[in-house]
Amino acid sequence: MREETELAAPPPSRGPDHDIDLMEAPGFVEAVVGAIETRQVDTLRGLIANLHESDLARLIEALPASDRPLMIELLGSDFDFTALTELDETVRLQILEELPTQTVVDGVRDLDSDDAVYILEDMDDADKQEILDSLSVPERAALQRSLDYPEESAGRRMQTEFIALPPFWTVGQALDYIGETEGLPEVFFEVFIVDPSYHLTGSVPLDRLIRTKRGIKLGEVVTPDRHVVKATDDQEDVARVFERYNLISAPVVDDGERLVGVLTVDDIVDVIQEEADEDLKALGGVAGDEELSDSFWYIAKSRFSWLLLNLIAANIASFVISMFEGELQRMVALAVLMPIVASQGGNAGTQTMTVAVRALATRELRASNARRVIARELLVGLFNGVVFAVIMAAVVFARFGIADLGIVIALAMIINLVAAALGGILIPLALNRLKVDPAVSSGPFVTTITDVVGFFAFLGIASLWF
């Protein structure tokens, strides 16, 4: 047990010019642990009172596993369940499994619908249904409607709390309604105008609303929404629309064009981060949902398939080398220089592949400009191949004193860098055409091409030259 006098004071709230790192605050985490273990609720509340939800999530991850659910139970209604949306999925599910059902129900009830859906969607079906059954009928219906949409769709991301008003209302009525009605969204940027069937006719931004005379009807100042999102749209496509048109929010409609929710920029920032994270991990052969908190066995299984593909590629390259065993025995220098050609080609191929995969993900690389991009990458590969060919020819001659060997490696270098450039762009394009994620599958294919072409070109030219 820790003495109460050792408990650290709570850190100040984070301002715009101050980014407090809780992990570096002296004794802060230890103080929180001490307050939890000694059940000092008032002290615990004081310690976390000024924490933003994301900082609270970082604190939770730093606590011992057994203290995480206990802290939430001790805080009761003072705990902001939004912090759970900032946690790794594995940690969040472990906490939810340990918490009493009623605690989770109360926490979910206080969340915005998009955050509640985010927490519920990863839970086991039985646990999820138990939570939903404990909610009121309107609350359950709103969450179930979002959960029924496909994963990674706008319907899963949308917030079902919004303000929708008829066009015959006046601006004064709208302002009075917003100011006097309880239960409205805490943050919103516009009011939506709908007909009696809840079909969206447009929106009125808040700045226009408060600057318009009270007697004017909403239908006279409504702006038709040009960027309406379908609930079934993929979240990555929606994020691209937000980025392209600098949107702050966008209405979401169902297949019947009825208004069912709204997406805001904070949701889209999370989508962009998640998609970029998945693409980056996929390029390295790591599952997009892998987290630092995942178990050893899960990580080992998820990485196995990628490593298996690379092992197959390595065996193919090894077979190519074995075809030139005689040449390698006659000239040891070939074995010394051989990895250089393959390595340079592999790095060049990875560069091109990374650019191509990202361009495909952002829809910048399309059929209309694919030929131009392929030609550009081919020229880049040829240029770099020639430059590095000259450099390696000089290095080989200075090292081994064999001019012909320098010519051989120079030719092989040019061939392999051109092949790397073509493989790095054509393979992602082909996989994308076949509806296969190029971020996941391109790596082993590009590696195989650069290794096989590099070894075959170098050893094949050497066998013909000498």
Side-chain angles (χ1 to χ4, degrees):
M1 296 294 183
R2 294 167 175 79
E3 296 294 335
E4 184 173 357
T5 55
E6 295 294 325
L7 297 180
S13 59
R14 185 173 63 182
D17 299 323
H18 300 88
D19 187 10
I20 296 175
D21 190 341
L22 296 179
M23 301 307 103
E24 295 182 3
F28 178 72
V29 175
E30 290 78 6
V32 172
V33 172
I36 294 172
E37 293 179 351
T38 56
R39 307 298 197 273
Q40 299 177 40
V41 179
D42 290 339
T43 301
L44 181 60
R45 287 172 179 163
L47 286 167
I48 70 166
N50 296 318
L51 297 186
H52 185 271
E53 61 201 39
S54 60
D55 289 328
L56 181 56
R58 294 176 61 202
L59 171 63
I60 292 172
E61 292 182 342
L63 296 176
S66 59
D67 287 346
R68 295 165 180 168
L70 179 56
M71 183 187 77
I72 296 174
E73 291 187 66
L74 288 173
L75 291 172
S77 60
D78 291 328
F79 177 77
D80 184 0
F81 254 69
T82 310
L84 297 186
T85 65
E86 303 288 338
L87 295 173
D88 285 353
E89 178 183 335
T90 303
V91 175
R92 180 170 63 251
L93 291 178
Q94 289 173 346
I95 292 173
L96 292 173
E97 289 175 0
E98 296 294 328
L99 288 174
T101 299
Q102 191 57 48
T103 301
V104 179
V105 170
D106 293 339
V108 167
R109 182 177 284 120
D110 292 335
L111 292 174
D112 290 337
S113 59
D114 53 339
D115 291 330
V117 169
Y118 188 81
I119 288 177
L120 290 173
E121 63 181 352
D122 294 322
M123 298 177 67
D124 292 338
D125 290 339
D127 294 337
K128 183 194 308 179
Q129 194 58 50
E130 184 179 5
I131 301 299
L132 290 172
D133 291 341
S134 301
L135 297 171
S136 67
V137 174
E139 292 170 331
R140 180 168 65 251
L143 295 180
Q144 188 64 62
R145 180 172 55 187
S146 294
L147 289 168
D148 287 340
Y149 287 112
E151 290 187 21
E152 299 189 349
S153 67
R156 283 288 185 96
R157 286 288 186 178
M158 70 182 181
Q159 182 176 326
T160 56
E161 297 89 2
F162 52 84
I163 300 176
L165 303 174
F168 55 80
W169 272 29
T170 65
V171 169
Q173 286 177 296
L175 291 174
D176 292 340
Y177 174 79
I178 292 172
E180 298 171 2
T181 305
E182 297 182 357
L184 296 181
E186 292 184 5
V187 178
F188 59 95
F189 305 98
E190 56 197 345
V191 297
F192 298 105
I193 310 303
V194 296
D195 65 15
S197 299
Y198 242 69
H199 292 102
L200 179 69
T201 61
S203 63
V204 181
L206 285 182
D207 58 338
R208 180 183 301 173
L209 188 68
I210 61 178
R211 292 173 181 170
T212 304
K213 293 181 179 179
R214 292 179 59 87
I216 295 178
K217 292 184 177 181
L218 295 177
E220 299 178 27
V221 293
V222 65
T223 301
D225 281 293
R226 293 177 296 173
H227 306 294
V228 178
V229 175
K230 285 288 189 68
T232 52
D233 287 348
D234 185 87
Q235 64 178 15
E236 190 173 1
D237 295 333
V238 176
R240 196 168 296 109
V241 172
F242 268 72
E243 180 184 17
R244 182 178 303 161
Y245 299 107
N246 298 319
L247 302 182
I248 297 177
S249 65
V252 182
V253 298
D254 61 13
D255 292 336
E257 301 298 327
R258 291 181 295 270
L259 182 65
V260 293
V262 59
L263 280 169
T264 54
V265 67
D266 59 318
D267 302 313
I268 299 304
V269 169
D270 291 337
V271 171
I272 293 173
Q273 181 179 358
E274 288 177 11
E275 296 293 343
D277 184 61
E278 288 181 7
D279 289 344
L280 180 62
K281 289 177 178 177
L283 283 173
V286 178
D289 60 351
E290 181 177 314
E291 304 286 355
L292 290 176
S293 56
D294 287 336
S295 67
F296 150 78
W297 183 239
Y298 176 82
I299 293 176
K301 287 191 299 181
S302 68
R303 297 183 185 180
F304 178 82
S305 58
W306 178 275
L307 294 176
L308 179 61
L309 287 174
N310 278 276
L311 181 62
I312 294 172
N315 276 277
I316 294 173
S318 176
F319 174 75
V320 172
I321 295 173
S322 68
M323 295 169 57
F324 301 95
E325 186 176 354
E327 285 73 16
L328 290 171
Q329 290 177 348
R330 288 197 304 271
M331 186 176 291
V332 177
L334 294 178
V336 174
L337 298 172
M338 181 174 59
I340 297 176
V341 179
S343 174
Q344 198 73 355
N347 289 329
T350 299
Q351 288 177 331
T352 305
M353 178 188 69
T354 302
V355 173
V357 168
R358 187 57 186 158
L360 286 169
T362 58
R363 305 295 193 272
E364 295 177 19
L365 181 55
R366 303 178 299 275
S368 59
N369 64 350
R371 186 171 299 180
R372 178 179 60 83
V373 175
I374 292 172
R376 185 199 66 185
E377 292 298 330
L378 179 61
L379 288 175
V380 170
L382 180 61
F383 174 81
N384 285 336
V386 171
V387 172
F388 287 109
V390 173
I391 294 174
M392 279 308 302
V395 170
V396 169
F397 180 74
R399 184 175 178 184
F400 298 98
I402 306 174
D404 288 356
L405 185 58
I407 296 175
V408 169
I409 196 171
L411 292 174
M413 189 73 72
I414 294 173
I415 292 172
N416 202 25
L417 262 67
V418 170
L422 287 175
I425 184 72
L426 292 179
I427 287 176
L429 282 171
L431 291 172
N432 188 65
R433 178 68 64 88
L434 296 172
K435 307 300 182 184
V436 178
D437 187 356
V440 176
S441 308
S442 297
F445 291 109
V446 173
T447 300
T448 301
I449 287 177
T450 55
D451 284 351
V452 170
V453 172
F455 293 142
F456 190 83
F458 182 51
L459 297 177
I461 294 173
S463 64
L464 295 173
W465 195 281
F466 296 106

